[in-house]
Amino acid sequence: MTGNKLLVELPQTADRVRTGVPGLDEILGGGLLRQRVALLKGGPGAGKTTLALQMLVAGATQYDEPGILLTFEQVPSQLFADAAAMGWDLKALHDDYRLRVMFIEPDEVLDNPGRQANRLLVNVAELAEDHGSRRLVIDSLSHLGSILSKDEARAAFIKFMLELKALGLTPIGTAEYLPETGIGGIDAYLVDTLILLERDAERSRRTLEVVKSRGHYHIAGKHPFEIGADGVVVYPHSYPAAAEANAEPAPSPAIPLSSGVPGLDEMLGGGYVPGSTILVAGLSGTFKSVLAAHFLASGAPSTGLWISFQESAADLARSFAGHGIAFADSRIEVFEALTGRDPVQKILSAADDLITGRGIQRVVIDSLNDLAAGLTGEERAEAVRWFLRRLHARGVTVLITQRLARVTGRNPLSEIDHAELADTIIYLGLVEIESRLEKVISVLKHRGGPVAGDLRSIHATNSGLVVSDRFLGVSGVLGGVALGHRKAQIEEIFQPLFFVRDFLKLAGDPGLDPEQRERMLRDMGGETDRVIGLLGRYFDQPQKNNEPKKEARP
Amino acid sequence: MSPRILAIDDTEHLRTVIRLTLEYKKYEVKLAADGVEGLEAARAGAFDLIICDIEMPRMGGVEFVTQYRAEFGPATPIIMLTAEGDEKIKAARAAGATDALAKPFEPMQLFAAIDRHLKERV
């Protein structure tokens, strides 16, 4: 059976019956209550019988607790064949008395339900005493449904269940879920633990919910589960407080992590904060993924992990090769979560196993949108928060990409989902300059560093992304005070020229103090350099040490 | 004592050019990056003349002029710097701006405007 490493080890206590179903014991706070009645309810095909059978098989094979299956519905050959499909050799377990299968009729349960008078109870008692049977499944109680509506039969049934408990057994029943009676119905108050199984055929999604758990802790809500080759695996949507998950995040070393793009590192005051979450949000085709790949590649020789929902490892390697990023050389591993069908908890759990096992320190999730498919906003936030808590506790730095649907308006933050999850938010957008779309980058939020808030141009070269100096002629675009771009460009170029022209005239004054003339000449030189730098960038000309001077010349 | 001039513009380079220009005339220059900083500077010390951009984040030129006039009255001349054809110049004048110069400005023109308004003030 599949182990589930992410779940904490719970103490094995005598009063709990470990179901052995991955994920379920954690949801139940350790397992079912011993010698109390549990009921699994669900519609046809919800997985009730499989789940109940798995509890018996686990008891027999893992916990030294033999079991008994009382079934009204199946003929032996079919039952054994179905179990064999899950890898369970029911025939061998039956022959060994570790899992006895008994085919019964309703009156066998209800007739003379005293331990001495009822033939079925006599047999069960023998098994319990001679072979140590501890678990008993009745599949399904719905066969008793109409009979149980009669007071007499109901009293007989209660007596039957009491007798089972007195024999040291933990009874587990299955029952059809009838929408018209909800989850209540006749049996609801006879049981101590009620588990509801649901199947959403449209979304190919199964969920399990503990709707009643008398006297014991459980994790509320609907938890996704799957029935695979190893049986049922449940993915709790939130997790008991593991020491590790609750631990303070590992202290961040002072040295920032390079984003792999020097111009961006400068905007970030050195780079990303180790152990933080970075959200890279932008329209399609604005280099979100390339920026993410740079981050992983710059961590080499350490391995980085890329969690991909849309593209295969081969596709990614091909597309990044064009940007000068070689996945293989850069030791980037791709975790393909391509099916779109796996519950997000399963994907994150498996990724977490890999990250922990390999000691990975840099992770990319591409993208938040795909991770969210089929989840509500809150479910997604909860799953991602859990994942981030675990990774941050180990000092892992996580970069998440997010596709934005449209060009942002005044406030790009308002377009970004789950901004609260991120320590650093990078916005990639498009700005129209003279009928041409330019790609721009801005840091909207950055933990542990000042945010310049300016907009810079970003473009691709065959050796990677390049972030240029402050975007030529455009200011205030993100703040919603976009100037006319053309006018702004004219102003940026003509202002130094006007200055130089007028100052040349003034410097010609013979009465000018020589010291002042020298200062004016230096200022004119600075402004001339600035124009050359701007024009050089505008026309893609190489710079010959004529970058515009930074401000504050003496 | 040289006149004190407050220059407000959100573009760093333009602030630098204004400073270099005004320093030639040995004016005492104080720089601010938007209307909010401009008002703070005005509250901290009196100025003989103010040069102010119109389009700025946080607090633009029109709002600055409105608030400045409300707090400090009509005495100090305010020269607006504006992109050509900016409709907001009307609002700035209505709010109490004294004059306007088109950006990019020519230093000689700026000197002429400053001289004129400082003289009128005296």
Side-chain angles (χ1 to χ4, degrees):
Chain A
M1 212 155 290
T2 317
N4 204 336
K5 272 191 254 168
L6 70 97
L7 300 168
V8 289
E9 274 304 310
L10 290 157
Q12 178 109 36
T13 50
D15 61 340
R16 289 301 169 96
V17 175
R18 304 284 305 248
T19 65
V21 176
L24 183 56
D25 289 329
E26 285 72 16
I27 290 168
L28 291 168
L32 297 170
L33 293 173
R34 191 169 293 283
Q35 288 172 265
R36 304 278 189 87
V37 180
L39 181 65
L40 313 177
K41 277 193 106 164
K48 303 180 295 291
T49 304
T50 306
L51 186 61
L53 204 51
Q54 189 168 338
M55 292 178 188
L56 289 180
V57 172
T61 59
Q62 294 176 44
Y63 303 113
D64 194 24
E65 289 191 6
I68 301 164
L69 172 63
L70 304 182
T71 177
F72 296 102
E73 32 199 351
Q74 305 204 45
V75 291
S77 57
Q78 189 187 337
L79 180 70
F80 292 145
D82 290 350
M86 299 287 170
W88 303 327
D89 190 348
L90 230 49
K91 181 82 171 65
L93 292 172
H94 176 80
D95 292 347
D96 231 7
Y97 286 90
R98 283 188 288 161
L99 201 173
R100 292 299 286 181
V101 182
M102 301 166 77
F103 298 88
I104 57 169
E105 297 293 331
D107 22 342
E108 289 183 66
V109 174
L110 302 174
D111 286 351
N112 308 312
R115 202 182 301 180
Q116 284 76 35
N118 182 296
R119 189 68 219 148
L120 179 58
L121 277 175
V122 170
N123 287 339
V124 168
E126 270 176 24
L127 286 171
E129 281 156 20
D130 298 347
H131 300 284
S133 298
R134 288 288 172 271
R135 308 174 178 202
L136 181 141
V137 164
I138 307 177
D139 185 37
S140 110
L141 292 178
S142 299
H143 285 260
L144 304 175
S146 55
I147 306 168
L148 287 183
S149 60
K150 292 170 192 157
D151 285 349
E152 204 179 317
R154 198 161 155 270
F157 176 68
I158 294 170
K159 179 124 175 59
F160 181 80
M161 298 304 266
L162 285 173
E163 292 288 0
L164 291 177
K165 294 200 273 186
L167 287 167
L169 290 154
T170 302
I172 303 160
T174 68
E176 287 288 318
Y177 168 67
L178 302 169
E180 58 271 24
T181 57
I183 54 172
I186 190 163
D187 34 32
Y189 49 91
L190 294 181
V191 303
D192 300 285
T193 304
L194 179 56
I195 299 174
L196 184 65
L197 307 179
E198 286 180 298
R199 184 180 186 185
D200 183 344
E202 228 169 77
R203 292 162 73 189
S204 309
R205 190 172 177 228
R206 294 173 187 273
T207 57
L208 170 157
E209 183 179 12
V210 179
V211 292
K212 176 185 180 181
S213 65
R214 190 176 290 166
H216 69 104
Y217 161 85
H218 73 278
I219 303 175
K222 293 183 179 185
H223 310 274
F225 75 94
E226 286 183 323
I227 303 179
D230 293 328
V232 174
V233 180
V234 187
Y235 303 97
H237 70 68
S238 67
Y239 300 85
E244 183 183 39
N246 280 351
E248 284 294 307
S252 302
I255 304 162
L257 295 177
S258 173
S259 67
V261 179
L264 177 57
D265 286 347
E266 191 194 315
M267 292 175 86
L268 293 165
Y272 302 132
V273 177
S276 68
T277 300
I278 302 118
L279 193 59
V280 175
L283 298 172
S284 236
T286 50
F287 302 138
K288 295 182 299 295
S289 303
V290 187
L291 201 62
H294 269 298
F295 166 60
L296 289 193
S298 70
S302 301
T303 303
L305 182 71
W306 184 287
I307 303 174
S308 174
F309 290 89
Q310 287 210 338
E311 289 171 287
S312 67
D315 289 343
L316 289 169
R318 237 190 329 274
S319 85
F320 294 134
H323 292 278
I325 303 166
F327 257 35
D329 301 347
S330 306
R331 305 195 55 180
I332 296 173
E333 284 216 9
V334 179
F335 180 88
E336 293 180 3
L338 305 179
T339 65
R341 289 209 161 178
D342 282 340
V344 64
Q345 289 85 353
K346 182 185 181 186
I347 294 166
L348 296 181
S349 300
D352 184 57
D353 283 351
L354 190 61
I355 292 160
T356 313
R358 303 282 301 275
I360 287 169
Q361 286 292 298
R362 293 182 184 218
V363 173
V364 163
I365 301 175
D366 185 36
S367 66
L368 189 63
N369 312 65
D370 300 315
L371 179 83
L375 289 186
T376 67
E378 199 28 58
E379 284 172 336
R380 169 173 61 172
E382 192 177 346
V384 175
R385 253 196 300 273
W386 170 83
F387 189 56
L388 293 177
R389 264 203 311 274
R390 290 186 67 84
L391 297 190
H392 291 166
R394 280 181 247 122
V396 178
T397 310
V398 186
L399 187 153
I400 306 174
T401 65
Q402 182 178 152
R403 263 191 322 279
L404 299 179
R406 57 198 162 99
V407 181
T408 60
R410 284 186 74 84
N411 180 9
L413 273 174
S414 67
E415 304 287 328
I416 294 170
D417 287 335
H418 304 304
E420 77 285 353
L421 295 175
D423 303 296
T424 297
I425 300 177
I426 293 170
Y427 169 71
L428 291 164
L430 295 168
V431 172
E432 190 188 332
I433 308 284
E434 308 230 312
S435 312
R436 202 177 57 196
L437 282 177
E438 294 280 354
K439 294 186 171 92
V440 292
I441 184 167
S442 186
V443 177
L444 302 182
K445 175 183 174 185
H446 186 42
R447 192 187 86 191
V451 178
D454 59 354
L455 200 62
R456 301 194 188 195
S457 120
I458 182 166
H459 63 276
T461 70
N462 53 18
S463 55
L465 292 178
V466 173
V467 170
S468 78
D469 216 346
R470 192 165 168 278
F471 201 73
L472 183 69
V474 182
S475 66
V477 169
L478 292 182
V481 208
L483 301 170
H485 302 139
R486 187 179 161 78
K487 279 181 182 163
Q489 278 178 307
I490 289 170
E491 180 188 308
E492 200 155 11
I493 292 167
F494 275 82
Q495 187 64 70
L497 291 176
F498 284 165
F499 176 84
V500 172
R501 186 196 64 191
D502 284 11
F503 267 51
L504 274 174
K505 288 179 200 161
L506 294 168
D509 177 0
L512 199 64
D513 167 24
E515 203 177 302
Q516 190 174 11
R517 180 178 291 120
E518 194 182 318
R519 195 168 58 236
M520 288 168 73
L521 289 171
R522 197 172 57 232
D523 292 344
M524 285 187 277
E527 290 303 296
T528 309
D529 280 348
R530 183 177 179 87
V531 177
I532 292 169
L534 290 168
L535 292 176
R537 198 164 315 121
Y538 190 60
F539 293 111
D540 285 334
Q541 290 299 301
Q543 310 282 301
K544 295 174 186 165
N545 295 324
N546 281 333
E547 282 290 318
K549 295 275 187 293
K550 294 284 177 201
E551 304 305 328
R553 287 184 294 276
Chain B
M1 209 169 89
S2 49
R4 292 191 79 222
I5 295 180
L6 170 62
I8 311 166
D9 198 298
D10 63 318
T11 311
E12 196 178 1
H13 173 246
L14 209 78
R15 287 200 300 275
T16 305
V17 178
I18 293 171
R19 180 174 58 78
L20 296 175
T21 304
L22 299 182
E23 279 173 357
Y24 169 78
K25 288 280 191 183
K26 299 203 166 43
Y27 296 132
E28 193 183 322
V29 187
K30 171 78 185 167
L31 299 174
D34 58 31
V36 176
E37 278 188 22
L39 281 176
E40 281 167 9
R43 284 170 196 141
F47 290 95
D48 298 295
L49 185 140
I50 295 169
I51 298 166
C52 184
D53 187 18
I54 288 207
E55 291 285 4
M56 292 182 291
R58 283 216 294 181
M59 186 191 289
V62 178
E63 196 182 341
F64 169 80
V65 173
T66 309
Q67 292 210 22
Y68 181 87
R69 289 299 186 220
E71 269 189 57
F72 301 97
T76 304
I78 302 176
I79 301 172
M80 306 306 290
L81 291 179
T82 170
E84 211 172 319
D86 191 334
E87 285 294 304
K88 284 188 185 160
I89 191 62
K90 288 178 192 161
R93 282 189 185 280
T98 319
D99 202 350
L101 281 184
K103 287 202 289 187
F105 71 89
E106 299 178 35
M108 295 294 212
Q109 276 189 0
L110 183 62
F111 290 148
I114 291 171
D115 282 349
R116 188 168 67 246
H117 292 298
L118 285 181
K119 269 179 205 153
E120 280 171 11
R121 189 173 187 238
V122 172

